[in-house]
Coordinates of all heavy atoms in Angstrom, one line a residue:
M1 N -2.3 -15.3 -3.8 CA -2.2 -14.5 -2.5 C -1.0 -13.6 -2.6 O 0.0 -13.9 -3.3 CB -2.1 -15.4 -1.3 CG -2.0 -14.6 0.0 SD -2.8 -15.5 1.3 CE -1.4 -15.8 2.3
Y2 N -1.1 -12.4 -1.9 CA -0.1 -11.4 -1.9 C 0.3 -11.0 -0.5 O -0.5 -11.3 0.4 CB -0.5 -10.1 -2.7 CG -0.9 -10.4 -4.1 CD1 -2.2 -10.6 -4.4 CD2 0.0 -10.3 -5.1 CE1 -2.6 -10.8 -5.7 CE2 -0.3 -10.5 -6.4 CZ -1.7 -10.7 -6.7 OH -2.0 -10.9 -8.0
L3 N 1.5 -10.4 -0.4 CA 1.9 -9.8 0.9 C 2.3 -8.4 0.7 O 3.0 -8.1 -0.2 CB 3.2 -10.6 1.4 CG 3.0 -12.0 2.0 CD1 4.3 -12.5 2.4 CD2 2.0 -12.0 3.1
L4 N 1.7 -7.5 1.5 CA 2.1 -6.1 1.6 C 3.1 -6.0 2.7 O 2.8 -6.4 3.8 CB 0.9 -5.2 1.8 CG 1.2 -3.7 2.0 CD1 1.7 -3.1 0.7 CD2 0.0 -3.0 2.5
E5 N 4.3 -5.5 2.4 CA 5.4 -5.5 3.4 C 6.0 -4.0 3.5 O 6.2 -3.3 2.5 CB 6.5 -6.4 2.9 CG 7.7 -6.4 3.8 CD 8.9 -7.2 3.2 OE1 8.8 -7.7 2.1 OE2 9.9 -7.4 3.9
V6 N 6.2 -3.6 4.8 CA 6.8 -2.4 5.1 C 8.4 -2.6 4.9 O 8.9 -3.5 5.5 CB 6.5 -1.9 6.5 CG1 7.3 -0.6 6.9 CG2 5.0 -1.7 6.7
L7 N 9.0 -1.7 4.1 CA 10.4 -1.8 3.9 C 11.3 -0.8 4.7 O 12.5 -0.9 4.8 CB 10.7 -1.6 2.4 CG 10.1 -2.6 1.5 CD1 10.5 -2.2 0.0 CD2 10.6 -4.0 1.8
S8 N 10.6 0.2 5.3 CA 11.3 1.2 6.1 C 10.4 1.8 7.1 O 9.2 1.9 6.9 CB 12.0 2.3 5.2 OG 11.0 3.2 4.7
G9 N 11.0 2.4 8.2 CA 10.2 3.0 9.2 C 10.0 2.2 10.4 O 10.6 1.1 10.5
P10 N 9.2 2.7 11.4 CA 9.1 2.0 12.7 C 8.4 0.6 12.5 O 8.6 -0.3 13.4 CB 8.2 2.9 13.5 CG 8.0 4.1 12.7 CD 8.5 3.9 11.3
L11 N 7.7 0.4 11.5 CA 7.0 -1.0 11.3 C 7.8 -1.8 10.3 O 7.3 -2.8 9.7 CB 5.6 -0.8 10.8 CG 4.6 -0.2 11.8 CD1 3.2 0.0 11.1 CD2 4.5 -1.0 13.0
D12 N 9.1 -1.5 10.1 CA 9.9 -2.3 9.1 C 9.8 -3.8 9.3 O 9.9 -4.3 10.4 CB 11.4 -1.9 9.3 CG 12.3 -2.4 8.2 OD1 11.8 -2.9 7.2 OD2 13.5 -2.4 8.4
G13 N 9.4 -4.5 8.2 CA 9.3 -5.9 8.3 C 7.8 -6.4 8.5 O 7.5 -7.5 8.3
K14 N 6.9 -5.5 8.9 CA 5.5 -5.8 9.1 C 4.9 -6.2 7.8 O 5.2 -5.6 6.8 CB 4.8 -4.6 9.7 CG 3.3 -4.7 9.8 CD 2.8 -5.5 11.0 CE 1.3 -5.5 11.1 NZ 0.8 -6.6 11.8
V15 N 4.1 -7.3 7.8 CA 3.4 -7.7 6.6 C 2.0 -8.0 6.8 O 1.5 -8.3 7.9 CB 4.1 -9.1 6.0 CG1 5.5 -8.8 5.6 CG2 4.0 -10.2 7.0
W16 N 1.2 -7.7 5.7 CA -0.2 -8.0 5.7 C -0.5 -8.9 4.5 O -0.3 -8.5 3.4 CB -1.1 -6.7 5.6 CG -1.0 -5.8 6.7 CD1 -1.8 -5.8 7.8 CD2 -0.1 -4.7 6.9 NE1 -1.4 -4.7 8.6 CE2 -0.3 -4.1 8.1 CE3 1.0 -4.2 6.1 CZ2 0.4 -3.0 8.5 CZ3 1.7 -3.1 6.5 CH2 1.4 -2.5 7.7
P17 N -1.1 -10.1 4.7 CA -1.5 -10.9 3.5 C -2.8 -10.4 3.0 O -3.7 -9.9 3.7 CB -1.6 -12.3 4.1 CG -1.9 -12.1 5.6 CD -1.2 -10.8 6.0
F18 N -3.0 -10.6 1.7 CA -4.3 -10.2 1.1 C -4.5 -11.0 -0.2 O -3.5 -11.5 -0.8 CB -4.5 -8.7 0.8 CG -3.6 -8.1 -0.2 CD1 -4.1 -7.9 -1.5 CD2 -2.3 -7.8 0.0 CE1 -3.3 -7.3 -2.5 CE2 -1.5 -7.3 -1.0 CZ -2.0 -7.0 -2.2
D19 N -5.8 -11.2 -0.6 CA -6.1 -12.0 -1.8 C -6.3 -11.2 -3.0 O -5.5 -11.3 -4.0 CB -7.3 -12.9 -1.6 CG -7.0 -14.0 -0.6 OD1 -6.0 -14.6 -0.7 OD2 -7.9 -14.3 0.2
R20 N -7.2 -10.3 -3.0 CA -7.5 -9.5 -4.2 C -7.3 -8.0 -4.1 O -7.0 -7.3 -5.1 CB -9.0 -9.7 -4.6 CG -9.3 -11.2 -4.9 CD -10.4 -11.3 -5.9 NE -10.7 -12.7 -6.2 CZ -10.0 -13.4 -7.0 NH1 -9.0 -13.0 -7.7 NH2 -10.4 -14.7 -7.2
E21 N -7.4 -7.5 -2.9 CA -7.2 -6.0 -2.7 C -7.0 -5.7 -1.2 O -7.4 -6.5 -0.3 CB -8.4 -5.2 -3.2 CG -9.4 -4.7 -2.3 CD -10.4 -3.8 -3.0 OE1 -10.6 -3.8 -4.2 OE2 -11.1 -3.1 -2.2
I22 N -6.2 -4.6 -1.0 CA -6.0 -4.2 0.4 C -5.9 -2.7 0.4 O -5.4 -2.0 -0.5 CB -4.7 -4.8 0.9 CG1 -4.5 -4.5 2.5 CG2 -3.4 -4.3 0.2 CD1 -3.5 -5.4 3.1
T23 N -6.5 -2.1 1.4 CA -6.5 -0.6 1.6 C -5.5 -0.3 2.7 O -5.4 -1.0 3.7 CB -7.9 -0.1 2.1 OG1 -8.9 -0.5 1.1 CG2 -7.9 1.4 2.2
I24 N -4.7 0.8 2.4 CA -3.7 1.2 3.3 C -4.1 2.5 3.9 O -4.5 3.4 3.2 CB -2.3 1.4 2.5 CG1 -2.0 0.1 1.8 CG2 -1.2 1.9 3.5 CD1 -1.0 0.3 0.7
G25 N -3.9 2.7 5.3 CA -4.3 3.9 5.9 C -3.9 3.9 7.4 O -3.2 3.0 7.9
R26 N -4.4 5.0 8.1 CA -4.1 5.1 9.5 C -5.2 4.6 10.4 O -5.1 4.5 11.6 CB -3.8 6.6 9.9 CG -2.4 7.0 9.4 CD -2.1 8.4 9.8 NE -2.3 8.6 11.2 CZ -2.7 9.8 11.7 NH1 -2.9 10.8 10.9 NH2 -2.8 9.9 13.0
D27 N -6.4 4.4 9.8 CA -7.6 4.0 10.6 C -8.0 2.6 10.4 O -8.4 2.2 9.2 CB -8.7 5.0 10.2 CG -10.0 4.8 11.1 OD1 -10.1 3.7 11.7 OD2 -10.8 5.7 11.0
D28 N -7.8 1.7 11.4 CA -8.1 0.3 11.2 C -9.6 0.0 10.9 O -9.9 -1.1 10.5 CB -7.6 -0.6 12.3 CG -8.3 -0.3 13.7 OD1 -9.2 0.6 13.7 OD2 -7.9 -0.9 14.6
A29 N -10.5 1.0 11.0 CA -11.9 0.8 10.7 C -12.1 0.8 9.2 O -13.1 0.3 8.7 CB -12.7 1.9 11.3
V30 N -11.2 1.5 8.4 CA -11.3 1.6 7.0 C -10.1 1.1 6.2 O -10.1 1.1 5.0 CB -11.6 3.1 6.6 CG1 -13.0 3.5 7.1 CG2 -10.5 4.0 7.0
A31 N -9.1 0.6 6.9 CA -7.8 0.2 6.2 C -7.4 -1.1 6.8 O -7.1 -1.2 8.0 CB -6.7 1.2 6.4
A32 N -7.2 -2.1 6.0 CA -6.8 -3.5 6.4 C -5.3 -3.4 6.8 O -4.8 -4.1 7.8 CB -7.0 -4.5 5.4
A33 N -4.5 -2.6 6.1 CA -3.1 -2.4 6.4 C -3.0 -1.0 7.2 O -3.0 0.0 6.6 CB -2.2 -2.3 5.2
C34 N -3.1 -1.1 8.5 CA -3.2 0.1 9.3 C -1.8 0.5 9.8 O -1.1 -0.3 10.5 CB -4.1 -0.2 10.5 SG -4.3 1.3 11.6
I35 N -1.3 1.7 9.4 CA 0.0 2.2 9.8 C -0.2 3.5 10.6 O -0.2 4.6 10.0 CB 0.9 2.5 8.5 CG1 0.9 1.2 7.7 CG2 2.2 2.9 8.9 CD1 1.6 1.3 6.3
T36 N -0.4 3.4 11.9 CA -0.8 4.5 12.7 C 0.5 5.4 13.0 O 0.3 6.5 13.4 CB -1.4 4.1 14.0 OG1 -0.5 3.2 14.7 CG2 -2.7 3.4 13.8
L37 N 1.7 4.8 12.9 CA 2.9 5.5 13.4 C 3.4 6.6 12.4 O 4.2 7.4 12.7 CB 4.0 4.5 13.7 CG 3.7 3.6 14.8 CD1 4.8 2.5 14.9 CD2 3.5 4.3 16.1
D38 N 2.8 6.6 11.1 CA 3.2 7.6 10.1 C 2.1 8.6 10.0 O 1.1 8.4 9.5 CB 3.4 6.9 8.8 CG 4.0 7.8 7.7 OD1 3.8 9.0 7.9 OD2 4.5 7.3 6.7
R39 N 2.4 9.8 10.6 CA 1.4 10.9 10.6 C 1.1 11.5 9.3 O 0.2 12.3 9.1 CB 1.7 11.9 11.7 CG 3.0 12.7 11.3 CD 3.4 13.6 12.5 NE 4.6 14.3 12.2 CZ 4.7 15.6 12.2 NH1 3.7 16.3 12.4 NH2 5.9 16.1 11.9
Y40 N 1.9 11.1 8.3 CA 1.7 11.6 6.9 C 0.8 10.7 6.1 O 0.5 11.0 4.9 CB 3.0 11.8 6.2 CG 3.9 12.9 6.9 CD1 4.8 12.5 7.8 CD2 3.7 14.2 6.5 CE1 5.6 13.5 8.5 CE2 4.5 15.2 7.2 CZ 5.4 14.8 8.1 OH 6.1 15.8 8.8
I41 N 0.3 9.6 6.7 CA -0.6 8.7 6.0 C -2.1 9.1 6.4 O -2.4 9.4 7.6 CB -0.4 7.3 6.4 CG1 1.0 6.8 5.8 CG2 -1.5 6.3 5.9 CD1 1.4 5.4 6.2
S42 N -2.9 9.2 5.4 CA -4.3 9.6 5.6 C -5.1 8.4 6.2 O -4.6 7.2 6.2 CB -5.0 10.0 4.3 OG -4.3 11.1 3.8
R43 N -6.3 8.6 6.7 CA -7.2 7.5 7.2 C -7.3 6.4 6.2 O -7.2 5.3 6.5 CB -8.6 8.1 7.6 CG -8.6 8.9 8.9 CD -10.0 9.4 9.2 NE -10.8 8.2 9.6 CZ -11.9 7.9 8.9 NH1 -12.3 8.6 7.9 NH2 -12.6 6.8 9.3
R44 N -7.7 6.8 5.0 CA -7.8 5.9 3.8 C -6.8 6.5 2.8 O -7.2 7.4 2.1 CB -9.2 5.9 3.2 CG -10.2 5.0 4.0 CD -11.6 5.0 3.3 NE -11.5 4.3 2.1 CZ -11.7 4.9 0.9 NH1 -12.0 6.2 0.8 NH2 -11.7 4.2 -0.2
H45 N -5.7 6.0 2.7 CA -4.6 6.6 1.9 C -4.5 6.0 0.5 O -4.5 6.8 -0.5 CB -3.3 6.4 2.6 CG -2.2 7.3 2.1 ND1 -1.8 8.5 2.8 CD2 -1.5 7.3 0.9 CE1 -0.9 9.1 2.0 NE2 -0.7 8.4 0.9
A46 N -4.4 4.7 0.4 CA -4.1 4.1 -0.9 C -4.7 2.7 -1.0 O -5.0 2.1 0.1 CB -2.6 4.0 -1.2
R47 N -4.8 2.1 -2.2 CA -5.3 0.7 -2.3 C -4.5 0.0 -3.4 O -4.1 0.6 -4.4 CB -6.8 0.8 -2.8 CG -7.4 -0.6 -3.0 CD -8.8 -0.6 -3.5 NE -9.6 0.0 -2.4 CZ -10.5 1.0 -2.5 NH1 -10.7 1.6 -3.7 NH2 -11.2 1.4 -1.5
V48 N -4.2 -1.2 -3.1 CA -3.6 -2.1 -4.1 C -4.7 -3.2 -4.4 O -5.2 -3.8 -3.5 CB -2.3 -2.8 -3.6 CG1 -1.8 -3.8 -4.6 CG2 -1.3 -1.7 -3.2
R49 N -5.0 -3.4 -5.7 CA -5.9 -4.4 -6.1 C -5.5 -5.2 -7.3 O -4.7 -4.7 -8.1 CB -7.3 -3.7 -6.4 CG -7.3 -2.8 -7.6 CD -8.7 -2.3 -7.8 NE -8.7 -1.2 -8.7 CZ -8.7 -1.3 -10.0 NH1 -8.6 -2.5 -10.6 NH2 -8.6 -0.2 -10.8
E50 N -5.9 -6.4 -7.3 CA -5.6 -7.3 -8.4 C -6.5 -6.9 -9.6 O -7.7 -6.5 -9.4 CB -6.0 -8.7 -8.0 CG -5.4 -9.8 -8.9 CD -5.7 -11.2 -8.4 OE1 -6.8 -11.5 -8.0 OE2 -4.7 -11.9 -8.3
D51 N -5.9 -6.9 -10.8 CA -6.6 -6.5 -12.0 C -6.1 -7.4 -13.1 O -5.1 -7.2 -13.7 CB -6.3 -5.0 -12.4 CG -7.1 -4.6 -13.6 OD1 -8.3 -4.8 -13.7 OD2 -6.5 -3.9 -14.5
G52 N -6.9 -8.4 -13.4 CA -6.5 -9.4 -14.4 C -5.3 -10.2 -13.8 O -5.3 -10.7 -12.7
D53 N -4.2 -10.2 -14.6 CA -3.0 -10.8 -14.1 C -2.0 -9.9 -13.4 O -0.9 -10.3 -13.0 CB -2.2 -11.4 -15.3 CG -2.9 -12.6 -15.9 OD1 -3.7 -13.3 -15.1 OD2 -2.7 -12.9 -17.1
G54 N -2.4 -8.6 -13.2 CA -1.5 -7.7 -12.6 C -2.1 -7.0 -11.4 O -3.2 -7.4 -10.9
L55 N -1.4 -5.9 -10.9 CA -1.9 -5.2 -9.8 C -2.0 -3.7 -10.2 O -1.3 -3.2 -11.1 CB -0.8 -5.3 -8.6 CG -0.6 -6.6 -8.0 CD1 0.6 -6.6 -7.1 CD2 -1.9 -7.0 -7.2
I56 N -2.9 -3.0 -9.5 CA -3.1 -1.6 -9.7 C -2.9 -0.9 -8.3 O -3.5 -1.4 -7.3 CB -4.6 -1.3 -10.2 CG1 -4.8 -2.0 -11.5 CG2 -4.8 0.2 -10.3 CD1 -4.0 -1.4 -12.7
L57 N -2.1 0.1 -8.3 CA -1.9 1.0 -7.1 C -2.7 2.2 -7.3 O -2.5 2.9 -8.4 CB -0.4 1.3 -6.9 CG -0.1 2.3 -5.9 CD1 -0.5 1.8 -4.5 CD2 1.4 2.6 -5.9
A58 N -3.6 2.6 -6.4 CA -4.4 3.8 -6.5 C -4.3 4.6 -5.2 O -4.4 4.1 -4.1 CB -5.8 3.4 -6.7
D59 N -4.1 5.9 -5.4 CA -4.2 6.9 -4.3 C -5.6 7.2 -4.1 O -6.4 7.4 -5.0 CB -3.4 8.2 -4.6 CG -3.3 9.1 -3.5 OD1 -2.6 8.9 -2.5 OD2 -4.1 10.1 -3.5
L60 N -6.0 7.2 -2.8 CA -7.4 7.5 -2.5 C -7.7 8.9 -2.0 O -8.2 9.2 -1.0 CB -7.9 6.5 -1.4 CG -7.8 5.0 -1.8 CD1 -8.1 4.1 -0.6 CD2 -8.6 4.7 -3.0
E61 N -7.2 9.9 -2.8 CA -7.3 11.3 -2.6 C -6.7 11.6 -1.2 O -7.2 12.4 -0.4 CB -8.8 11.7 -2.7 CG -9.3 11.5 -4.0 CD -10.8 11.9 -4.2 OE1 -11.4 12.4 -3.2 OE2 -11.3 11.8 -5.3
S62 N -5.5 11.0 -0.9 CA -4.8 11.3 0.3 C -4.3 12.7 0.4 O -4.0 13.3 -0.7 CB -3.7 10.3 0.5 OG -2.7 10.5 -0.4
R63 N -4.0 13.2 1.5 CA -3.5 14.5 1.7 C -2.0 14.6 1.2 O -1.6 15.6 0.6 CB -3.6 14.9 3.2 CG -3.1 16.3 3.4 CD -3.3 16.7 4.9 NE -2.9 18.1 5.0 CZ -3.3 18.9 5.9 NH1 -4.3 18.5 6.7 NH2 -2.9 20.1 6.0
N64 N -1.2 13.6 1.5 CA 0.2 13.7 1.1 C 0.6 12.8 -0.1 O 1.8 12.7 -0.4 CB 1.1 13.3 2.3 CG 0.9 14.4 3.4 OD1 1.3 15.5 3.2 ND2 0.4 14.0 4.6
G65 N -0.3 12.2 -0.7 CA -0.1 11.5 -1.9 C 0.6 10.1 -1.8 O 1.0 9.7 -0.7
T66 N 0.7 9.4 -2.9 CA 1.3 8.1 -3.1 C 2.3 8.2 -4.2 O 2.0 8.8 -5.2 CB 0.2 7.0 -3.4 OG1 -0.7 7.0 -2.3 CG2 0.8 5.6 -3.5
R67 N 3.5 7.6 -4.0 CA 4.6 7.8 -5.0 C 5.1 6.4 -5.4 O 5.3 5.6 -4.6 CB 5.7 8.6 -4.4 CG 5.3 10.0 -4.0 CD 6.4 10.8 -3.4 NE 7.3 11.4 -4.3 CZ 7.1 12.5 -5.0 NH1 5.9 13.1 -4.9 NH2 8.0 13.0 -5.8
L68 N 5.3 6.3 -6.8 CA 5.9 5.1 -7.3 C 7.0 5.6 -8.2 O 6.8 6.5 -9.0 CB 4.9 4.4 -8.2 CG 5.4 3.1 -8.9 CD1 5.8 2.1 -8.0 CD2 4.3 2.6 -9.9
A69 N 8.2 5.1 -8.0 CA 9.4 5.5 -8.8 C 9.7 7.0 -8.6 O 10.1 7.7 -9.6 CB 9.3 5.1 -10.2
G70 N 9.4 7.5 -7.4 CA 9.6 8.9 -7.2 C 8.6 9.9 -7.7 O 8.6 11.1 -7.4
E71 N 7.6 9.4 -8.4 CA 6.6 10.2 -9.0 C 5.2 10.0 -8.3 O 4.8 8.9 -8.0 CB 6.4 9.8 -10.5 CG 7.6 10.1 -11.3 CD 8.0 11.6 -11.4 OE1 7.1 12.4 -11.5 OE2 9.2 11.9 -11.3
P72 N 4.5 11.1 -8.1 CA 3.1 11.0 -7.6 C 2.2 10.3 -8.5 O 2.3 10.5 -9.8 CB 2.7 12.5 -7.3 CG 3.6 13.3 -8.1 CD 4.9 12.5 -8.4
I73 N 1.3 9.5 -8.0 CA 0.4 8.7 -8.9 C -1.1 9.0 -8.4 O -1.3 9.4 -7.3 CB 0.7 7.2 -8.9 CG1 0.5 6.6 -7.5 CG2 2.1 6.9 -9.4 CD1 -0.8 5.9 -7.3
T74 N -2.0 8.8 -9.3 CA -3.4 8.7 -8.9 C -3.9 7.2 -9.0 O -4.4 6.7 -8.1 CB -4.3 9.6 -9.8 OG1 -4.1 9.3 -11.2 CG2 -4.1 11.0 -9.5
E75 N -3.5 6.6 -10.2 CA -3.8 5.1 -10.3 C -2.8 4.7 -11.4 O -2.7 5.3 -12.5 CB -5.2 4.9 -10.7 CG -5.5 3.4 -10.8 CD -7.0 3.1 -11.0 OE1 -7.8 3.4 -10.0 OE2 -7.4 2.7 -12.1
T76 N -2.1 3.6 -11.1 CA -1.1 3.1 -12.1 C -0.9 1.6 -11.9 O -1.1 1.1 -10.8 CB 0.2 3.8 -11.9 OG1 1.1 3.5 -12.9 CG2 0.9 3.5 -10.5
P77 N -0.4 0.9 -12.9 CA -0.1 -0.5 -12.7 C 1.1 -0.6 -11.8 O 2.0 0.2 -11.7 CB 0.4 -1.0 -14.1 CG -0.3 0.0 -15.1 CD -0.4 1.3 -14.3
L78 N 1.1 -1.7 -11.0 CA 2.2 -2.0 -10.0 C 2.7 -3.4 -10.2 O 1.9 -4.3 -10.2 CB 1.6 -1.8 -8.6 CG 2.6 -2.1 -7.4 CD1 3.7 -1.0 -7.4 CD2 1.8 -2.2 -6.1
A79 N 4.0 -3.5 -10.5 CA 4.6 -4.8 -10.6 C 5.0 -5.4 -9.2 O 5.4 -4.6 -8.4 CB 5.9 -4.7 -11.5
P80 N 4.7 -6.6 -9.0 CA 5.1 -7.2 -7.7 C 6.6 -6.9 -7.5 O 7.4 -7.1 -8.3 CB 4.9 -8.7 -7.9 CG 3.8 -8.8 -8.9 CD 4.1 -7.6 -9.8
G81 N 6.9 -6.5 -6.2 CA 8.3 -6.2 -5.9 C 8.7 -4.7 -6.0 O 9.7 -4.3 -5.4
D82 N 7.9 -4.0 -6.8 CA 8.2 -2.5 -7.0 C 7.9 -1.8 -5.7 O 6.8 -1.8 -5.2 CB 7.4 -1.9 -8.1 CG 8.0 -2.2 -9.5 OD1 9.0 -2.9 -9.6 OD2 7.3 -1.8 -10.5
P83 N 8.9 -1.0 -5.1 CA 8.6 -0.3 -3.9 C 7.8 1.0 -4.3 O 7.9 1.6 -5.3 CB 10.0 0.1 -3.4 CG 10.9 0.0 -4.6 CD 10.3 -1.0 -5.6
F84 N 6.9 1.4 -3.3 CA 6.2 2.6 -3.4 C 6.0 3.2 -2.1 O 6.3 2.6 -1.0 CB 4.8 2.4 -4.1 CG 3.9 1.4 -3.3 CD1 2.9 1.9 -2.4 CD2 4.0 0.1 -3.5 CE1 2.1 1.1 -1.7 CE2 3.2 -0.8 -2.8 CZ 2.2 -0.3 -1.9
I85 N 5.7 4.5 -2.0 CA 5.7 5.3 -0.8 C 4.3 5.8 -0.5 O 3.7 6.4 -1.4 CB 6.7 6.5 -0.8 CG1 8.1 5.9 -1.0 CG2 6.5 7.3 0.4 CD1 9.2 7.0 -1.2
V86 N 3.8 5.6 0.7 CA 2.6 6.2 1.2 C 3.0 7.0 2.4 O 3.7 6.5 3.3 CB 1.4 5.3 1.5 CG1 0.9 4.6 0.3 CG2 1.8 4.2 2.6
G87 N 2.7 8.3 2.5 CA 3.2 9.1 3.6 C 4.7 9.2 3.5 O 5.3 9.6 2.5
R88 N 5.3 8.7 4.6 CA 6.8 8.5 4.6 C 7.2 7.1 4.7 O 8.3 6.8 5.1 CB 7.4 9.4 5.7 CG 7.2 10.9 5.5 CD 8.0 11.7 6.4 NE 8.0 13.1 6.0 CZ 8.4 14.0 6.7 NH1 9.0 13.8 7.9 NH2 8.3 15.3 6.3
T89 N 6.3 6.2 4.4 CA 6.6 4.7 4.6 C 6.8 4.1 3.3 O 6.0 4.2 2.4 CB 5.4 4.1 5.4 OG1 5.2 4.7 6.6 CG2 5.6 2.6 5.6
L90 N 7.8 3.3 3.1 CA 8.2 2.6 1.9 C 7.6 1.2 2.0 O 7.8 0.4 3.0 CB 9.7 2.5 1.8 CG 10.2 1.8 0.5 CD1 9.8 2.6 -0.7 CD2 11.8 1.7 0.6
L91 N 6.8 0.8 1.0 CA 6.1 -0.5 1.0 C 6.4 -1.2 -0.3 O 6.9 -0.6 -1.3 CB 4.6 -0.3 1.1 CG 4.1 0.4 2.3 CD1 2.7 1.0 2.0 CD2 4.1 -0.5 3.5
R92 N 6.1 -2.6 -0.4 CA 6.1 -3.3 -1.6 C 5.1 -4.5 -1.5 O 4.8 -4.9 -0.4 CB 7.5 -3.8 -2.0 CG 7.9 -5.0 -1.1 CD 9.2 -5.7 -1.6 NE 9.7 -6.6 -0.6 CZ 10.9 -7.1 -0.5 NH1 11.8 -6.7 -1.4 NH2 11.2 -8.0 0.4
V93 N 4.7 -4.9 -2.6 CA 3.8 -6.1 -2.7 C 4.5 -7.2 -3.3 O 5.2 -7.0 -4.4 CB 2.5 -5.8 -3.4 CG1 1.6 -7.0 -3.6 CG2 1.7 -4.7 -2.7
T94 N 4.5 -8.4 -2.8 CA 5.0 -9.6 -3.4 C 4.0 -10.7 -3.5 O 3.0 -10.7 -2.7 CB 6.2 -10.2 -2.6 OG1 5.8 -10.4 -1.2 CG2 7.4 -9.2 -2.6
R95 N 4.1 -11.5 -4.5 CA 3.2 -12.6 -4.7 C 3.7 -13.8 -4.0 O 4.8 -14.1 -4.0 CB 3.0 -12.9 -6.2 CG 2.1 -14.1 -6.5 CD 1.9 -14.2 -8.0 NE 0.5 -13.8 -8.2 CZ 0.1 -13.2 -9.3 NH1 0.9 -12.9 -10.3 NH2 -1.2 -12.8 -9.4
V96 N 2.7 -14.5 -3.3 CA 3.1 -15.7 -2.6 C 2.5 -16.9 -3.3 O 1.4 -16.9 -3.7 CB 2.4 -15.7 -1.2 CG1 2.7 -17.0 -0.4 CG2 2.9 -14.5 -0.4
A97 N 3.4 -17.9 -3.6 CA 2.9 -19.1 -4.3 C 1.9 -19.9 -3.4 O 2.0 -19.9 -2.2 CB 4.1 -20.0 -4.5
A98 N 0.9 -20.4 -4.1 CA -0.2 -21.1 -3.4 C 0.4 -22.4 -2.8 O 1.2 -23.1 -3.5 CB -1.3 -21.4 -4.4
A99 N 0.0 -22.8 -1.6 CA 0.5 -24.0 -1.0 C -0.2 -25.2 -1.6 O -1.3 -25.1 -2.0 CB 0.2 -23.9 0.5
G100 N 0.5 -26.3 -1.6 CA -0.1 -27.5 -2.1 C 0.6 -28.0 -3.3 O 0.5 -28.8 -4.1

């Protein structure tokens, strides 16, 4: 299991748990991680998905792009803990150890 966490902005500290994939955007009808307060985020902005033992960060043809390490991306590997930007919001994904 993973946690998507907001690191800056009005939703600082907000988290969304997910298992295999999560879509980030402004419209809760199409995005599990809904960030309505950032007007630079598209309805369906980006997706983080599990791929084998790692994660993939993909921009979903958003208007303002997705950035990792300051660079715009289309699709790239994402290490847990690496911060990335959608719109003007800084996010990161961390892995949560399974209970039990």
Side-chain angles (χ1 to χ4, degrees):
M1 180 148 113
Y2 301 93
L3 289 179
L4 174 66
E5 178 183 7
V6 177
L7 298 177
S8 72
L11 293 179
D12 188 13
K14 171 84 174 153
V15 296
W16 293 271
F18 69 100
D19 288 320
R20 300 212 182 275
E21 99 175 19
I22 190 164
T23 302
I24 304 159
R26 284 183 52 211
D27 184 345
D28 63 1
V30 293
C34 184
I35 305 172
T36 58
L37 298 174
D38 185 340
R39 64 189 178 121
Y40 295 93
I41 294 179
S42 299
R43 287 181 65 242
R44 281 181 67 247
H45 195 106
R47 177 179 298 126
V48 176
R49 66 179 166 80
E50 193 174 50
D51 183 47
D53 289 336
L55 295 170
I56 300 291
L57 172 63
D59 184 77
L60 300 176
E61 299 179 359
S62 67
R63 183 175 181 152
N64 293 300
T66 301
R67 299 175 82 77
L68 176 65
E71 297 297 318
I73 63 101
T74 52
E75 185 170 292
T76 189
L78 178 69
D82 281 357
F84 62 96
I85 296 173
V86 294
R88 292 194 173 168
T89 300
L90 183 65
L91 302 160
R92 76 172 168 196
V93 174
T94 54
R95 178 171 253 148
V96 179

